[in-house]
Amino acid sequence: MDKNGILKKADYIVFAALGLLFFVFTATGLFTKLDFRLYDFLLGCVKEPARAENIVHINIDDDSIAEFGEWPWSRNIIADNLIRLKELGAERVVFDVEYLSPSALGVPSDSLQNIGDAFAVQEAELQGLIEEFAGSIEKGYILPKEVPAFKEELITGYVYPSIDSCKNTVFENVSTDNDEYFGKALQFFGNAWLTVNTRDVKIKTSPEDIAYVDSRFLFKNVSDPKNYIKENNVFTSNEQYNGDESGFSPALHTLLKRAKGVGFTNVIIDSDGSRRRVELLFNHNGNYLGQLVFAPLMDYLNVESFVRERNKLILHNAFYPGASAPEDVVIPLDEHGRMLINWLHCPFGESFRHESMSFFKQLDVLEDDIETNLKNFLVLELRDSEGYPLPYYSAARELVEMYQNICEERKNLLDLCKGYDSDGVLLGGISEEQYESYFTMRSEYFDYVAEFSATDFISDVEERLDELQSYFSEEQREEFLSLFTEEMKKIAANISTYQTYMSDMKENCAGAICIIGNVASSTTDNGATPFVRIYPNVGTHANVLNTILQKDFITPVAWYYGYAAAILFTGVILLLVHRTGNKCQNILNGVFGGIVIFVPVILMAGFKIYIPFVGLALFVLVNYLGGVVIRFFNSSKEKEFIRRTFSQFVAKEVVDEIIKDPEKANLGGRNEHITALFSDIKSFSSFSELVTPEQLVNILNEYLGALSDNILDHSGTIDKYIGDSIVSLFGAPIRIENHAYAACAAAIRMKQTEGEFNRKHMLTGDVPRELYTRIGINTGDMIVGNMGTSLKKNYTMMGDNVNLASRLEGVNKVYGTWILCSEQTWKEADYGEHKGEIVVRKLDRVRVVGKTVPVQLYNVIGFRSEVSSNQLEEIELFHEALDLYLNRKFNEAGKKFIQANAMLPEDQAALVFAERCKNYMQKGVPEDWDGIMNLTSK
């Protein structure tokens, strides 16, 4: 292929090279981070998913740390809160906290109070015994000799047992197994989900514990015939953990055996540190562990089975809340089996509903304060005149006893929580009736406390104090009333606040899927999302949960599908527009390239279908710019070619116009309606014999150059020079309004220029004789364009109408005229704004050589404004003679032709017709004579 051929195919070569180059760049992940950024931007343009109202974050936040102390907390704290969540009506709890190892024995939160209460009781009993013993001796109830025996009985029967009781109380409150308590609380709640870490965290787990998890918690209803899940797990392991060995580290067994289920916590972190996707299933020994929230959600939706295909996971017969029937839900996955998370667009604190763990502590504090308040009323004992306690005291004692019964019942219920065996069979648990009874007791207790706080006990107290004024000083009376009133205010405030908090938290937690995780500012468990740079990772699980609950999925399409489509589409467009002009190619390639880039945006914004497209967008852009550069380079060469081709033959303005739009030069030939002008010097052969070759070249250059300027000045195009002849055309390659008029005007000016040339050179004597040019003009359809080979091209014209213009130039010899045009030329020239500007003389209708259809001849005389009145009169007389001639009135016609010649002796045409009239009068004409002349020579 020659150089020109390569240049013509350069856009194809660049297209192929760039296509391969950007394919390699994209396949090797060069644009991955840019794709991530673009995805984040597009996700922000997509409508935010609706928020599931039943998702609640239970936050271990800064306020909670302030309440409970530094993290990690003793597990009894979480256990207490779980029990509280059950009372609040939470539907299930998911822990984003790993409990992989046993915790140290703990000290119960109420241990000091319990120990103190025990010592106080024993102290009071011992004091009473000693006082009673001493009093009996003093009063003589015990004789001196009986004292040793009574003393021994007192020590062995009362003092030692009392000390032993204190010891037992201390031992019971010094330590407790918080893991066991936490486990019981998990079962007490009933729907709690713990973690399994699928990495090797270097914690030894017994085969029995792993077998327990396999048997009880893993999905066995997953169909994955092509083993996609395991393959994807391996890819994730290699990508996320550099191929480090995976593991299986479940939560502590004492907790697991009382939990409802487990899920794995590990999430996908993209190479730029953001979390955009998540694996939903993990293959373990042929069964499948669900992701942390996916597992409880599948239980919540009562999914019957799962089918894994290459790019989707099908949930078979999922029963969504509010639905009338189960349905199959298809979760789209990326090429590595991950679900894209459809994130809420806001910060963590503005996302789903939230409760702080500190609120649970406040409820506990309020509950303890209420109990203390009630006990304080027992200290402020006041009896009526008959020795019976006043109503407030009896009511307070009943409430204290009621609360003690509640605490005892709670302990009894927790003791029933013995867990499940590996088949999920309950080993011991709480019935619904027992739950109902327990929570009814609690509800009634706080209702009674509220009634207690609202009862007017003050008037009774004041009345009784007035009755006992002889026993109390005024100061003692006021002190008692003050203490009593203060306690009533405290218990009223505490019960009101407690019930308000409980009501608010029940409204927030009832039926909720609660996710417990650490969001305190001190935690390192933060990550980045498409919208927030620092985001608690527990929020990832909530967004995973919400994406599936709302069935609002992002459908990922592998980059190579989009890239292949872009290559195909761009290639087709390249083929379709390749032969159009440079400007057209730039516009069309730009428009269609924009479409290629914009389609992925539309798919994401309108249909949530995501195709990574940085690679394909850059390919399209660089390919477009490359094409522009190639076309600019080729255009420069083409412009140079056009300038070189046309500058000598057309006006500079025309050349500039062709360069702006090379299509006007029609490289390759097209049919156009134009006007052709042929000129030739009369008797040039004899003239050339009168001068040397050098003189001839100089004369011709000046003469033909001057005539050519007239052609160019009228927007004509020089086709070629043939010796002393000029071949030119008007109306191509640049269209002009009236090319026939332009050709006639150029011909008139050529003859005027010729006259100036002859006058100048005849005066100087450097030309042997005058030069005269004959001109033929014809208008019609002709083929114009650059014709030839790739090595040699010429802008030219061809066709019958071109030949006729050449014939008309020669016909001037017959009539002694200088400018002849066809009837078609004259009709178009004498039209519109130019009508009447040019004067012509009508001649014969002739059949030229090679044409069967006769042509009406017109002799172009000049511009009406420049033609003399004598010439106009002569032309009018000539036309009268011509009419007589065509009517066979040869005698009269001949006389008028002679008169016309007399008026304008240089008019040879009048003599030609006069001679013809003479011949016809002498020899006659055929009967079928129609005035048409048949010319036998060119």
Side-chain angles (χ1 to χ4, degrees), residues 66-268:
E67 287 282 0
F68 295 109
E70 290 300 317
W71 181 261
W73 300 330
S74 174
R75 292 175 185 174
N76 65 299
I77 294 174
I78 301 295
D80 289 340
N81 292 342
L82 263 182
I83 295 170
R84 178 73 70 179
L85 276 170
K86 179 69 174 179
E87 183 176 16
L88 293 172
E91 201 280 334
R92 63 190 58 211
V93 165
V94 180
F95 281 91
D96 187 27
V97 180
E98 294 186 324
Y99 297 103
L100 305 181
S101 302
S103 65
L105 294 175
V107 178
S109 59
D110 58 352
S111 59
L112 293 178
Q113 180 177 341
N114 292 337
I115 293 172
D117 289 346
F119 272 106
V121 170
Q122 300 307 318
E123 180 181 356
E125 288 183 358
L126 287 174
Q127 183 178 351
L129 286 171
I130 292 171
E131 288 178 354
E132 184 179 351
F133 181 64
S136 297
I137 294 175
E138 182 180 357
K139 293 177 181 179
Y141 297 149
I142 301 176
L143 298 175
K145 64 178 181 178
E146 297 175 326
V147 169
F150 273 100
K151 181 191 70 171
E152 188 66 30
E153 181 181 352
L154 182 64
I155 293 173
T156 58
Y158 293 97
V159 175
Y160 286 163
S162 179
I163 293 174
D164 289 340
S165 176
C166 284
K167 285 181 180 179
N168 291 335
T169 300
V170 170
F171 291 153
E172 287 175 1
N173 285 275
V174 165
S175 66
T176 184
D177 187 344
N178 285 330
D179 290 338
E180 181 68 14
Y181 176 53
F182 185 23
K184 290 178 179 181
L186 288 168
Q187 188 174 346
F188 183 95
F189 181 82
N191 206 347
W193 297 72
L194 298 174
T195 67
V196 173
N197 194 311
T198 58
R199 309 313 307 163
D200 184 6
V201 294
K202 308 303 180 184
I203 293 179
K204 187 175 182 180
T205 304
S206 71
E208 292 77 17
D209 287 350
I210 292 177
Y212 180 88
V213 174
D214 281 354
S215 175
R216 184 172 167 221
F217 295 129
L218 269 55
F219 294 124
K220 301 173 180 64
N221 53 348
V222 178
S223 173
D224 182 20
K226 295 190 177 180
N227 223 15
Y228 289 128
I229 297 173
K230 185 174 183 179
E231 176 185 321
N232 296 151
N233 293 157
V234 171
F235 177 87
T236 296
S237 180
N238 292 333
E239 179 197 55
Q240 298 284 300
Y241 307 103
N242 299 318
D244 290 347
E245 186 178 354
S246 61
F248 196 83
S249 301
L252 197 64
H253 183 73
T254 191
L255 308 181
L256 277 178
K257 73 177 184 178
R258 294 178 170 102
K260 179 65 181 292
V262 294
F264 65 87
T265 55
N266 312 79
V267 296
I268 306 300

Side-chain angles (χ1 to χ4, degrees), residues 380-390 392 459-478 480-481:
L380 296 172
E381 181 180 4
L382 196 62
R383 296 177 179 268
D384 61 19
S385 59
E386 297 180 2
Y388 295 104
L390 291 184
Y392 76 85
S459 57
D460 289 343
V461 171
E462 288 179 335
E463 182 180 344
R464 182 56 181 159
L465 287 175
D466 289 341
E467 293 173 356
L468 297 173
Q469 59 182 343
S470 60
Y471 295 95
F472 292 95
S473 67
E474 186 62 26
E475 183 179 350
Q476 289 175 321
R477 179 181 182 280
E478 292 303 320
F480 188 97
L481 275 176

Side-chain angles (χ1 to χ4, degrees), residues 25 41 68 231 271 288 408 493 573 592 621 656 687 840 842 920 930:
F25 285 165
F41 171 76
F68 295 109
E231 176 185 321
S271 58
Y288 300 90
E408 187 64 30
I573 297 303
F592 288 113
L621 179 61
D656 293 340
F687 179 87
V840 297
K842 189 176 182 180
Y920 286 151
D930 55 6

